[in-house]
Amino acid sequence: ETVTALQYEVTYSMCQKGSQSPLLGGRIALLKYTTTRVCHLIADNAVQILGGRGVTRTGMGRIVEAFHRTYKIPAVYGGSEEILADLAVRMAIKAFPAEAKL
C-alpha cells in the first residue's frame, strides 16, 4: 500500500507540476528506495515460507527463486539504495523553511 500511494502521489505531482519539475527528484528517489526495500522483504519472506523449495530453480519454488534472484537488478541500474535515500533526505531538508526546527 505504501508503494502504491507513493506512486500515485508522484504521478499526480508529475501531472500537476510537469515531468521535469525539480521538486520530483526526491520523491522519485524515495519511491524507488521504498520499492526496492519492499521487494527485498517480499523475497526474503517468500523464501522463508517455502523453505528449501524457495531456493530451487525448478519445481514449486521456481517463481520465488527467480524473483529473489532478479529483484535487485532494477535497484542497481538507477543508483544504489544509499545514494537514493540520501538524495530523498537532502531534497526534503531543502524544502523545509529556514526557521523550521528538525
Side-chain angles (χ1 to χ4, degrees), residues 18-33:
S19 61
Q20 299 298 317
S21 174
L23 302 173
L24 290 175
R27 291 179 180 161
I28 292 171
L30 183 62
L31 173 63
K32 187 170 186 302
Y33 173 77

Side-chain angles (χ1 to χ4, degrees), residues 3-4 10 12 18 21 27 30 33 37 45 47 49-50 52-53 59 62 70 73 81 89:
V3 173
T4 303
V10 167
Y12 179 79
S21 174
R27 291 179 180 161
L30 183 62
Y33 173 77
R37 295 307 305 157
N45 288 336
V47 170
I49 290 169
L50 290 179
R53 290 182 178 162
R62 72 183 186 283
T70 59
I73 295 170
E81 292 177 350
V89 169

Side-chain angles (χ1 to χ4, degrees), residues 2-99:
T2 303
V3 173
T4 303
L6 278 170
Q7 184 180 9
Y8 287 152
E9 194 270 330
V10 167
T11 304
Y12 179 79
S13 295
M14 288 178 90
C15 291
Q16 296 298 315
K17 299 173 184 164
S19 61
Q20 299 298 317
S21 174
L23 302 173
L24 290 175
R27 291 179 180 161
I28 292 171
L30 183 62
L31 173 63
K32 187 170 186 302
Y33 173 77
T34 306
T35 302
T36 57
R37 295 307 305 157
V38 169
C39 285
H40 178 74
L41 288 172
I42 290 169
D44 282 350
N45 288 336
V47 170
Q48 286 294 323
I49 290 169
L50 290 179
R53 290 182 178 162
V55 293
T56 58
R57 289 192 176 196
T58 59
M60 293 173 64
R62 72 183 186 283
I63 295 171
V64 172
E65 189 276 332
F67 179 72
H68 194 268
R69 183 172 20 99
T70 59
Y71 82 89
K72 194 72 172 167
I73 295 170
V76 174
Y77 284 140
S80 71
E81 292 177 350
E82 293 80 17
I83 293 170
L84 290 173
D86 183 60
L87 173 65
V89 169
R90 287 179 190 268
M91 295 292 287
I93 289 174
K94 192 186 297 186
F96 269 78
E99 66 276 357

